[in-house]
mmCIF file of all heavy atoms in Angstrom:
data_model
loop_
_atom_site.group_PDB
_atom_site.id
_atom_site.type_symbol
_atom_site.label_atom_id
_atom_site.label_comp_id
_atom_site.label_asym_id
_atom_site.label_seq_id
_atom_site.Cartn_x
_atom_site.Cartn_y
_atom_site.Cartn_z
ATOM 1 N N ARG A 299 12.710 15.536 6.618
ATOM 2 C CA ARG A 299 12.909 15.138 7.997
ATOM 3 C C ARG A 299 11.467 14.693 8.485
ATOM 4 O O ARG A 299 10.456 14.947 7.891
ATOM 5 C CB ARG A 299 13.422 16.224 8.842
ATOM 6 C CG ARG A 299 12.471 17.351 9.112
ATOM 7 C CD ARG A 299 12.968 18.580 9.836
ATOM 8 N NE ARG A 299 11.853 19.445 10.126
ATOM 9 C CZ ARG A 299 11.457 19.862 11.355
ATOM 10 N NH1 ARG A 299 11.799 19.127 12.329
ATOM 11 N NH2 ARG A 299 10.488 20.691 11.403
ATOM 12 N N ILE A 300 11.522 13.957 9.633
ATOM 13 C CA ILE A 300 10.240 13.691 10.260
ATOM 14 C C ILE A 300 10.477 13.703 11.824
ATOM 15 O O ILE A 300 11.610 13.370 12.208
ATOM 16 C CB ILE A 300 9.746 12.290 9.805
ATOM 17 C CG1 ILE A 300 8.396 11.958 10.528
ATOM 18 C CG2 ILE A 300 10.779 11.130 10.214
ATOM 19 C CD1 ILE A 300 7.753 10.715 9.977
ATOM 20 N N VAL A 301 9.628 14.195 12.488
ATOM 21 C CA VAL A 301 9.777 14.330 13.974
ATOM 22 C C VAL A 301 8.776 13.477 14.607
ATOM 23 O O VAL A 301 7.476 13.556 14.480
ATOM 24 C CB VAL A 301 9.500 15.897 14.518
ATOM 25 C CG1 VAL A 301 9.500 15.863 16.023
ATOM 26 C CG2 VAL A 301 10.412 16.733 13.868
ATOM 27 N N ILE A 302 9.216 12.440 15.203
ATOM 28 C CA ILE A 302 8.358 11.395 15.760
ATOM 29 C C ILE A 302 8.136 11.567 17.236
ATOM 30 O O ILE A 302 9.095 11.382 18.070
ATOM 31 C CB ILE A 302 8.901 9.908 15.518
ATOM 32 C CG1 ILE A 302 9.246 9.700 14.074
ATOM 33 C CG2 ILE A 302 8.042 8.822 16.091
ATOM 34 C CD1 ILE A 302 9.826 8.338 13.610
ATOM 35 N N ASP A 303 6.904 12.022 17.590
ATOM 36 C CA ASP A 303 6.406 12.220 18.914
ATOM 37 C C ASP A 303 5.530 11.021 19.199
ATOM 38 O O ASP A 303 5.240 10.119 18.423
ATOM 39 C CB ASP A 303 5.932 13.515 19.224
ATOM 40 C CG ASP A 303 4.716 13.925 18.220
ATOM 41 O OD1 ASP A 303 4.186 13.037 17.622
ATOM 42 O OD2 ASP A 303 4.367 15.052 18.180
ATOM 43 N N GLY A 304 4.969 11.136 20.402
ATOM 44 C CA GLY A 304 4.083 10.067 20.852
ATOM 45 C C GLY A 304 2.780 9.986 19.950
ATOM 46 O O GLY A 304 2.369 8.874 19.679
ATOM 47 N N SER A 305 2.216 11.175 19.540
ATOM 48 C CA SER A 305 1.081 11.162 18.763
ATOM 49 C C SER A 305 1.330 10.512 17.333
ATOM 50 O O SER A 305 0.537 9.745 16.815
ATOM 51 C CB SER A 305 0.557 12.622 18.555
ATOM 52 O OG SER A 305 -0.405 12.595 17.622
ATOM 53 N N LEU A 306 2.479 10.895 16.770
ATOM 54 C CA LEU A 306 2.779 10.297 15.377
ATOM 55 C C LEU A 306 3.158 8.859 15.497
ATOM 56 O O LEU A 306 2.860 8.050 14.602
ATOM 57 C CB LEU A 306 3.949 11.118 14.877
ATOM 58 C CG LEU A 306 4.246 10.800 13.389
ATOM 59 C CD1 LEU A 306 3.136 10.966 12.465
ATOM 60 C CD2 LEU A 306 5.555 11.561 12.774
ATOM 61 N N MET A 307 3.853 8.488 16.667
ATOM 62 C CA MET A 307 4.163 6.972 16.836
ATOM 63 C C MET A 307 2.844 6.241 16.958
ATOM 64 O O MET A 307 2.693 5.152 16.345
ATOM 65 C CB MET A 307 4.914 6.812 18.101
ATOM 66 C CG MET A 307 5.523 5.451 18.253
ATOM 67 S SD MET A 307 6.798 5.104 16.946
ATOM 68 C CE MET A 307 6.676 3.385 16.920
ATOM 69 N N ALA A 308 1.926 6.761 17.755
ATOM 70 C CA ALA A 308 0.532 6.090 17.846
ATOM 71 C C ALA A 308 -0.149 6.008 16.374
ATOM 72 O O ALA A 308 -0.627 4.905 16.113
ATOM 73 C CB ALA A 308 -0.316 6.797 18.775
ATOM 74 N N ALA A 309 -0.060 7.000 15.620
ATOM 75 C CA ALA A 309 -0.633 7.093 14.183
ATOM 76 C C ALA A 309 0.098 5.912 13.436
ATOM 77 O O ALA A 309 -0.576 5.418 12.660
ATOM 78 C CB ALA A 309 -0.445 8.384 13.689
ATOM 79 N N GLY A 310 1.399 5.933 13.499
ATOM 80 C CA GLY A 310 2.078 4.811 12.757
ATOM 81 C C GLY A 310 1.669 3.475 13.102
ATOM 82 O O GLY A 310 1.530 2.681 12.251
ATOM 83 N N ILE A 311 1.513 3.214 14.445
ATOM 84 C CA ILE A 311 1.056 1.765 14.880
ATOM 85 C C ILE A 311 -0.319 1.638 14.457
ATOM 86 O O ILE A 311 -0.664 0.531 13.987
ATOM 87 C CB ILE A 311 1.328 1.747 16.359
ATOM 88 C CG1 ILE A 311 2.807 1.717 16.611
ATOM 89 C CG2 ILE A 311 0.585 0.506 16.845
ATOM 90 C CD1 ILE A 311 3.167 1.636 18.095
ATOM 91 N N PHE A 312 -1.221 2.633 14.644
ATOM 92 C CA PHE A 312 -2.553 2.516 14.102
ATOM 93 C C PHE A 312 -2.644 2.077 12.691
ATOM 94 O O PHE A 312 -3.249 1.185 12.189
ATOM 95 C CB PHE A 312 -3.363 3.812 14.233
ATOM 96 C CG PHE A 312 -4.745 3.785 13.833
ATOM 97 C CD1 PHE A 312 -5.730 3.346 14.644
ATOM 98 C CD2 PHE A 312 -5.109 4.229 12.531
ATOM 99 C CE1 PHE A 312 -7.024 3.324 14.312
ATOM 100 C CE2 PHE A 312 -6.475 4.041 12.162
ATOM 101 C CZ PHE A 312 -7.435 3.698 13.021
ATOM 102 N N GLN A 313 -1.752 2.758 11.807
ATOM 103 C CA GLN A 313 -1.708 2.490 10.340
ATOM 104 C C GLN A 313 -1.085 1.008 10.059
ATOM 105 O O GLN A 313 -1.488 0.238 9.306
ATOM 106 C CB GLN A 313 -0.736 3.422 9.562
ATOM 107 C CG GLN A 313 -0.772 3.276 8.115
ATOM 108 C CD GLN A 313 -1.935 3.650 7.460
ATOM 109 O OE1 GLN A 313 -2.668 4.448 7.782
ATOM 110 N NE2 GLN A 313 -2.297 2.725 6.408
ATOM 111 N N GLY A 314 -0.140 0.629 11.011
ATOM 112 C CA GLY A 314 0.593 -0.683 10.873
ATOM 113 C C GLY A 314 -0.396 -1.774 11.175
ATOM 114 O O GLY A 314 -0.288 -2.895 10.514
ATOM 115 N N LEU A 315 -1.428 -1.513 12.109
ATOM 116 C CA LEU A 315 -2.296 -2.548 12.517
ATOM 117 C C LEU A 315 -3.303 -2.968 11.209
ATOM 118 O O LEU A 315 -4.059 -3.828 11.330
ATOM 119 C CB LEU A 315 -3.204 -2.109 13.652
ATOM 120 C CG LEU A 315 -2.493 -2.096 15.030
ATOM 121 C CD1 LEU A 315 -3.258 -1.498 16.013
ATOM 122 C CD2 LEU A 315 -2.158 -3.595 15.422
ATOM 123 N N TYR A 316 -3.232 -2.081 10.144
ATOM 124 C CA TYR A 316 -3.976 -2.508 8.988
ATOM 125 C C TYR A 316 -3.485 -3.825 8.497
ATOM 126 O O TYR A 316 -4.095 -4.541 7.712
ATOM 127 C CB TYR A 316 -3.711 -1.497 7.925
ATOM 128 C CG TYR A 316 -4.767 -0.272 8.012
ATOM 129 C CD1 TYR A 316 -4.811 0.444 9.227
ATOM 130 C CD2 TYR A 316 -5.344 0.267 6.901
ATOM 131 C CE1 TYR A 316 -5.765 1.631 9.351
ATOM 132 C CE2 TYR A 316 -6.070 1.432 6.984
ATOM 133 C CZ TYR A 316 -6.333 2.053 8.188
ATOM 134 O OH TYR A 316 -7.128 3.106 8.308
ATOM 135 N N ASP A 317 -2.112 -4.224 8.747
ATOM 136 C CA ASP A 317 -1.548 -5.433 8.109
ATOM 137 C C ASP A 317 -1.347 -6.339 9.283
ATOM 138 O O ASP A 317 -0.584 -6.136 10.233
ATOM 139 C CB ASP A 317 -0.230 -4.961 7.457
ATOM 140 C CG ASP A 317 0.196 -5.972 6.559
ATOM 141 O OD1 ASP A 317 0.102 -7.239 6.957
ATOM 142 O OD2 ASP A 317 1.072 -5.875 5.671
ATOM 143 N N GLY A 318 -1.882 -7.548 9.235
ATOM 144 C CA GLY A 318 -1.634 -8.635 10.209
ATOM 145 C C GLY A 318 -0.130 -8.967 10.437
ATOM 146 O O GLY A 318 0.244 -9.464 11.505
ATOM 147 N N ARG A 319 0.619 -8.734 9.300
ATOM 148 C CA ARG A 319 2.032 -9.153 9.445
ATOM 149 C C ARG A 319 2.803 -8.146 10.279
ATOM 150 O O ARG A 319 3.847 -8.525 10.944
ATOM 151 C CB ARG A 319 2.631 -9.183 8.007
ATOM 152 C CG ARG A 319 2.062 -10.361 7.190
ATOM 153 C CD ARG A 319 2.558 -10.191 5.650
ATOM 154 N NE ARG A 319 2.210 -8.829 5.142
ATOM 155 C CZ ARG A 319 2.483 -8.426 3.930
ATOM 156 N NH1 ARG A 319 3.283 -9.261 3.103
ATOM 157 N NH2 ARG A 319 2.127 -7.256 3.385
ATOM 158 N N PHE A 320 2.358 -6.887 10.289
ATOM 159 C CA PHE A 320 2.914 -5.891 11.220
ATOM 160 C C PHE A 320 2.752 -6.351 12.606
ATOM 161 O O PHE A 320 3.733 -6.042 13.538
ATOM 162 C CB PHE A 320 2.235 -4.545 10.973
ATOM 163 C CG PHE A 320 2.738 -3.331 11.840
ATOM 164 C CD1 PHE A 320 3.892 -2.635 11.464
ATOM 165 C CD2 PHE A 320 2.102 -3.087 13.017
ATOM 166 C CE1 PHE A 320 4.249 -1.582 12.355
ATOM 167 C CE2 PHE A 320 2.510 -2.086 13.868
ATOM 168 C CZ PHE A 320 3.620 -1.339 13.426
ATOM 169 N N VAL A 321 1.647 -6.887 12.971
ATOM 170 C CA VAL A 321 1.311 -7.217 14.393
ATOM 171 C C VAL A 321 2.383 -8.090 14.833
ATOM 172 O O VAL A 321 2.750 -8.063 16.053
ATOM 173 C CB VAL A 321 -0.048 -7.908 14.437
ATOM 174 C CG1 VAL A 321 -0.322 -8.403 15.908
ATOM 175 C CG2 VAL A 321 -1.200 -6.898 14.105
ATOM 176 N N GLU A 322 2.943 -9.083 14.021
ATOM 177 C CA GLU A 322 3.911 -10.111 14.442
ATOM 178 C C GLU A 322 5.246 -9.444 14.978
ATOM 179 O O GLU A 322 5.777 -10.068 15.739
ATOM 180 C CB GLU A 322 4.344 -11.025 13.272
ATOM 181 C CG GLU A 322 3.058 -11.856 12.690
ATOM 182 C CD GLU A 322 3.332 -12.595 11.579
ATOM 183 O OE1 GLU A 322 4.619 -12.585 11.192
ATOM 184 O OE2 GLU A 322 2.584 -13.260 10.978
ATOM 185 N N LEU A 323 5.472 -8.141 14.391
ATOM 186 C CA LEU A 323 6.647 -7.535 14.862
ATOM 187 C C LEU A 323 6.386 -6.361 15.832
ATOM 188 O O LEU A 323 7.410 -5.778 16.458
ATOM 189 C CB LEU A 323 7.335 -6.979 13.630
ATOM 190 C CG LEU A 323 8.226 -7.704 12.794
ATOM 191 C CD1 LEU A 323 9.436 -8.121 13.600
ATOM 192 C CD2 LEU A 323 7.587 -8.800 12.166
ATOM 193 N N LEU A 324 5.159 -6.141 16.267
ATOM 194 C CA LEU A 324 4.797 -5.047 17.223
ATOM 195 C C LEU A 324 5.535 -5.124 18.500
ATOM 196 O O LEU A 324 6.130 -4.173 18.941
ATOM 197 C CB LEU A 324 3.366 -4.861 17.383
ATOM 198 C CG LEU A 324 2.869 -3.895 18.175
ATOM 199 C CD1 LEU A 324 3.380 -2.313 17.789
ATOM 200 C CD2 LEU A 324 1.370 -3.732 18.352
ATOM 201 N N PRO A 325 5.546 -6.332 19.339
ATOM 202 C CA PRO A 325 6.327 -6.254 20.501
ATOM 203 C C PRO A 325 7.705 -5.918 20.312
ATOM 204 O O PRO A 325 8.402 -5.214 21.187
ATOM 205 C CB PRO A 325 6.157 -7.695 20.962
ATOM 206 C CG PRO A 325 4.840 -8.146 20.296
ATOM 207 C CD PRO A 325 4.877 -7.556 18.897
ATOM 208 N N LEU A 326 8.417 -6.455 19.204
ATOM 209 C CA LEU A 326 9.864 -6.166 19.037
ATOM 210 C C LEU A 326 9.995 -4.659 18.719
ATOM 211 O O LEU A 326 11.035 -3.991 19.203
ATOM 212 C CB LEU A 326 10.270 -7.042 17.787
ATOM 213 C CG LEU A 326 11.811 -7.159 17.552
ATOM 214 C CD1 LEU A 326 12.576 -7.700 18.785
ATOM 215 C CD2 LEU A 326 12.191 -7.888 16.334
#
Side-chain angles (χ1 to χ4, degrees):
R299 67 185 186 114
I300 183 171
V301 179
I302 302 180
D303 56 16
S305 175
L306 188 58
M307 189 68 205
I311 289 174
F312 183 87
Q313 185 69 37
L315 287 169
Y316 278 44
D317 191 335
R319 297 171 300 178
F320 176 88
V321 174
E322 298 176 3
L323 276 299
L324 182 54
L326 191 65

